[in-house]
Amino acid sequence: CYLNSTLQCLRYIPELRTGLRRNSNGNAISEALVNTFDLLDSTTKAVAAAGFVQRLRMSFPQFAQRGRNGGFAQQDAEELYSNVMMSIPESAADLFTLQLEERMKCAETEDETELVSSDAARKLVCNIQGGGASKEKKIDHLKDGLQVAMVGTVDKFSEVLQREATWTKTQKISKLPPYLCIQFMHFF
């Protein structure tokens, strides 16, 4: 199901298909994606994406791992998406690349200089939490889940304090891509 849902979503992005066709020279995952999309386009019946699965397992052995029952181990759509994005040509993956501005401020002293950097990502994380018997604040709206995921704390060395300290990390979107992928994260 993880493979089916990911391939079905990627299949309907015309610029991705064009980019993969134009730049897949010798790229096993790109060629397997193009072949799978062509196979899906050629029929209205169910398709076994055996060629893509074989290439995937050869390129990323985690997808070939077996569970205790002898069947293949459980994977998820995010793992597949991230590995595919790392494997396809940059020109095709750029369709999903957003720019983030990251600010880090030491929470333990005002004397430490705030650090500002830019980073690229191919997805946003939306944290879903709470509800039911949970004591956590319930988050079940996209806007709220994205905000929670873009603020956090990290331990990092402080030059001023000369030791590990807690820093507040805040991210903001500085540029959106043509296609935005959002991972709904319900386990931390």
Side-chain angles (χ1 to χ4, degrees), residues 100-103 119 121 124 146-147 149-152 169-174:
L100 299 171
E101 177 188 89
E102 183 177 281
R103 294 182 171 271
D119 196 14
L124 286 177
L146 290 172
Q147 286 176 334
M150 298 182 94
V151 177
K169 177 177 154 181
T170 307
Q171 293 178 313
K172 290 186 179 181
I173 301 168
S174 57

Side-chain angles (χ1 to χ4, degrees), residues 96-109:
F96 306 91
T97 304
L98 61 142
Q99 295 297 318
L100 299 171
E101 177 188 89
E102 183 177 281
R103 294 182 171 271
M104 292 187 50
K105 181 72 180 145
C106 185
E108 297 180 33
T109 179

Side-chain angles (χ1 to χ4, degrees), residues 73-120:
Q74 180 66 38
Q75 305 294 334
D76 68 28
E78 188 283 325
E79 290 171 320
L80 176 65
Y81 172 80
S82 292
N83 283 302
V84 166
M85 286 298 120
M86 288 187 316
S87 302
I88 63 176
E90 193 72 26
S91 60
D94 280 348
L95 292 167
F96 306 91
T97 304
L98 61 142
Q99 295 297 318
L100 299 171
E101 177 188 89
E102 183 177 281
R103 294 182 171 271
M104 292 187 50
K105 181 72 180 145
C106 185
E108 297 180 33
T109 179
E110 290 293 320
D111 297 333
E112 190 75 58
T113 303
E114 181 178 50
L115 305 174
V116 180
S117 62
S118 180
D119 196 14

